[in-house]
Amino acid sequence: METQLACLNRSNCSFVFKPHSVRRLRFTAAFSSINRRSGYSISGAIHSAVTCSMKSYKLSELTLAELDKLKARPRIDFSSIFSTVEPIVEDVRSRGDAAVKDYTARFDKVALDRVVEEVVDLPVPELDPAIKEAFDVAYENIYAFHAAQKSAEKTVENMKGVRCKRVARSIGSVGLYVPGGTAVLPSTALMLSIPAKIAGCKTVVIATPPSQNGSICKEVVYCAKKAGVTHILKAGGAQAISAMAWGTDSCPKVEKIFGPGNQYVTAAKMILQNSEAMISIDMPAGPSEVLVIADKYANPVHIAADLLSQAEHGPDSQVVLVIAGDGVDLKAIEEEISKQCQSLPRGEFALKALSHSFTVLARDLVEAISFSNLYAPEHLIINVKDAEKWESFVENAGSVFLGQWTPESVGDYASGTNHVLPTYGYARMYGGVSLDSFQKYITVQSLTEEGLRNLGPYVARMAEVEGLEAHKRAVTLRLQDIEATQISRMQ
């Protein structure tokens, strides 16, 4: 099948798109109990084969339009999603806990007795020692990295007698969404609750879908208690976001909502940040994504594993492989993806994600990173020789993973960096969640009499230019008082 083949012309920076015949990278994975509707299965002995392919492109004299098309994500039609979510938002506003119970019964098939649990009342769950140790190590690393983001308060004297500073104050109440649809993510509970604790947020609400018996994932409870969470809302989806935004009889109202989620969660966040609920959100969110830059020194086993680690998140995940230079064994990568995908419990999701993902062939690392900066991935893996040399060239990415020994998984769980990151190309203008996300900054200025004498005349003139007489008088009346006092002292 023909695909688009191109090669970047750096001599004149012009782009012309040329179609050529290029093979697709083909990945064959075998599963039993094939789902006849989707063509995929996820477990069991091998009975039949499934083939998935990634389109392959070579960066050529692309037109800007074709380049934009290549870096664009699949369009999400929020109009239909909004029409589903808006009634839920309003219903939760009106009926509170009763609405949350109804939607949880309808969507999750769980009948809730209590919508919210106060964390202090929950017993510390018993975890397998090895699992507990893993979460403890992750906690320590995440805490250390985010605590180091605290900045010392600094006062600047811009002019004699004119002092200014900026002070940090925590957001009083925050809501943390911990997904629990196709996979429960207790790691997200750590990523969001630890910086909230360091910032000093007084009310911290985790929202996470309940299990079939109405209980909360024990690993989420463990992380919540360790990180000082105050409440756990046993609900997911738009109803959970709405309950935190409006507040209910049992769920405290929050001022900012964090966390990844599906399209309905994202739609609810978008609707509520522009509503009378008066909440803010962390960032726009879309499907998880990774862009891997690999050269001839990269191990095909590692490349395949990194691609699949994001592809398994869901069928809408975005996976991009950028080959830098010659000598990369694409056939070995294909074989590894096929081999590894066969044994993945979530192989069905991975295959669907790979079916709309693609490979880019770049002449060298300059061209590879240039494309990555245009794409602005959530996760950027630079698996090349001397990867650290290329860090300074990265302009747009949520989180970067340098070298052959740095899989994206370490950032997802325990290296210390935050895994709540901008997706869908928003890394061009957003950063990931950090300590600052849980704080707001207040500026403070203090002038002495001398300071106002030095600065006041300039402020008065600027106010006069803008025609704001009251602004001017707020300065000049004080200056007149100062002058009068000085005269009286001289008499």
Side-chain angles (χ1 to χ4, degrees):
M1 187 173 184
E2 288 204 343
T3 59
Q4 309 294 348
L5 176 64
C7 201
L8 183 62
N9 184 333
R10 282 175 289 191
S11 62
N12 57 16
C13 295
S14 63
F15 299 91
V16 179
F17 194 76
K18 298 181 179 179
H20 289 271
S21 178
V22 163
R23 70 191 181 107
R24 289 173 177 242
L25 299 180
R26 308 191 70 82
F27 312 113
T28 302
F31 302 96
S32 70
S33 306
I34 298 297
N35 182 322
R36 298 186 183 277
R37 292 184 63 191
S38 66
Y40 303 113
S41 176
I42 59 175
S43 63
I46 296 174
H47 287 282
S48 183
V50 178
T51 300
C52 177
S53 57
M54 287 173 66
K55 287 184 179 180
S56 179
Y57 299 86
K58 187 176 181 184
L59 287 175
S60 183
E61 298 166 346
L62 288 170
T63 64
L64 292 177
E66 294 291 352
L67 193 60
D68 283 342
K69 183 178 179 180
L70 188 60
K71 69 180 177 64
R73 276 52 162 193
R75 181 177 177 271
I76 299 175
D77 181 11
F78 275 107
S79 58
S80 61
I81 299 173
F82 282 158
S83 66
T84 300
V85 171
E86 284 175 341
I88 297 174
V89 168
E90 288 304 315
D91 194 21
V92 172
R93 181 184 187 182
S94 300
R95 297 196 298 124
D97 289 336
V100 174
K101 288 181 179 180
D102 287 349
Y103 290 116
T104 302
R106 182 191 305 180
F107 299 133
D108 298 320
K109 311 303 179 186
V110 178
L112 293 176
D113 292 328
R114 293 167 57 91
V115 173
V116 173
E117 300 286 353
E118 294 197 20
V119 177
V120 69
D121 296 333
L122 297 174
V124 178
E126 292 186 12
L127 302 183
D128 178 275
I131 293 174
K132 179 179 180 297
E133 182 182 18
F135 278 99
D136 288 345
V137 169
Y139 178 94
E140 295 301 326
N141 288 348
I142 297 166
Y143 192 101
F145 183 74
H146 289 78
Q149 296 170 23
K150 283 186 175 180
S151 56
E153 191 175 294
K154 183 178 181 181
T155 299
V156 179
E157 189 169 32
N158 301 317
M159 297 175 70
K160 185 67 173 176
V162 179
R163 295 187 299 273
C164 298
K165 64 179 179 179
R166 190 176 73 150
V167 297
R169 297 290 184 266
S170 65
I171 297 173
S173 56
V174 294
L176 317 178
Y177 190 82
V178 177
T182 61
V184 181
L185 303 179
S187 57
T188 301
L190 286 180
M191 294 290 175
L192 295 175
S193 59
I194 290 173
K197 179 179 182 178
I198 296 169
C201 300
K202 295 178 177 62
T203 300
V204 181
V205 182
I206 278 181
T208 191
S211 61
Q212 288 301 303
N213 64 4
S215 65
I216 309 163
C217 168
K218 62 182 180 180
E219 290 83 6
V220 171
V221 174
Y222 179 78
C223 294
K225 290 189 75 71
K226 192 173 181 69
V229 172
T230 57
H231 302 76
I232 297 181
L233 169 63
K234 297 188 294 184
Q239 63 269 27
I241 301 299
S242 302
M244 292 190 291
W246 297 117
T248 70
D249 288 343
S250 64
C251 181
K253 173 179 169 44
V254 303
E255 292 160 333
K256 188 172 182 179
I257 296 177
F258 299 79
N262 61 22
Q263 295 177 356
Y264 298 97
V265 169
T266 299
K269 289 168 70 175
M270 293 168 66
I271 291 168
L272 284 158
Q273 75 168 337
N274 293 303
S275 74
E276 295 176 4
M278 289 287 291
I279 57 115
S280 66
I281 64 174
D282 46 3
M283 68 190 80
S288 186
E289 57 192 34
V290 67
L291 186 148
V292 178
I293 297 176
D295 65 5
K296 63 182 179 181
Y297 301 102
N299 188 330
V301 175
H302 299 170
I303 297 171
D306 288 336
L307 293 170
L308 289 169
S309 71
Q310 285 303 297
E312 74 171 351
H313 269 296
D316 55 356
S317 296
Q318 303 295 300
V319 177
V320 179
L321 173 61
V322 180
I323 299 299
D326 299 324
V328 178
D329 191 343
L330 290 178
K331 181 174 175 57
I333 297 173
E334 297 173 34
E335 292 173 350
E336 273 302 320
I337 291 178
S338 174
K339 176 182 175 182
Q340 294 181 34
C341 199
Q342 290 183 40
S343 59
L344 286 177
R346 296 170 65 85
E348 178 179 1
F349 295 130
L351 283 170
K352 287 182 179 179
L354 289 171
S355 70
H356 57 74
S357 300
F358 60 92
T359 296
V360 169
L361 309 177
R363 287 182 294 182
D364 52 31
L365 277 163
V366 171
E367 194 168 277
I369 292 180
S370 295
F371 176 77
S372 177
N373 284 331
L374 288 172
Y375 190 82
E378 176 189 17
H379 304 100
L380 169 60
I381 298 174
I382 305 181
N383 190 348
V384 302
K385 186 178 181 181
D386 299 325
E388 289 77 10
K389 293 181 180 179
W390 298 95
E391 177 193 343
S392 62
F393 293 91
V394 177
E395 295 179 355
N396 302 319
S399 191
V400 181
F401 304 81
L402 297 174
Q404 64 173 325
W405 306 119
T406 317
E408 183 273 333
S409 306
V410 298
D412 265 357
Y413 292 106
S415 66
T417 61
N418 208 290
H419 78 198
V420 181
L421 303 165
T423 65
Y424 219 70
Y426 281 106
R428 295 184 191 93
M429 68 288 290
Y430 284 89
V433 164
S434 66
L435 180 63
D436 279 355
S437 304
F438 294 85
Q439 298 176 322
K440 70 264 188 180
Y441 287 89
I442 304 169
T443 55
V444 181
Q445 47 261 296
S446 174
L447 273 65
T448 63
E449 180 182 299
E450 181 184 8
L452 187 61
R453 287 203 312 269
N454 291 335
L455 181 61
Y458 303 111
V459 174
R461 291 187 194 115
M462 294 177 72
E464 186 175 357
V465 168
E466 294 188 351
L468 299 176
E469 182 63 23
H471 280 65
K472 176 182 176 181
R473 289 180 185 178
V475 173
T476 56
L477 290 174
R478 284 176 167 84
L479 290 176
Q480 290 171 15
D481 287 345
I482 292 171
E483 185 178 358
T485 300
Q486 290 177 332
I487 293 173
S488 66
R489 287 174 181 171
M490 295 174 59
Q491 293 176 348

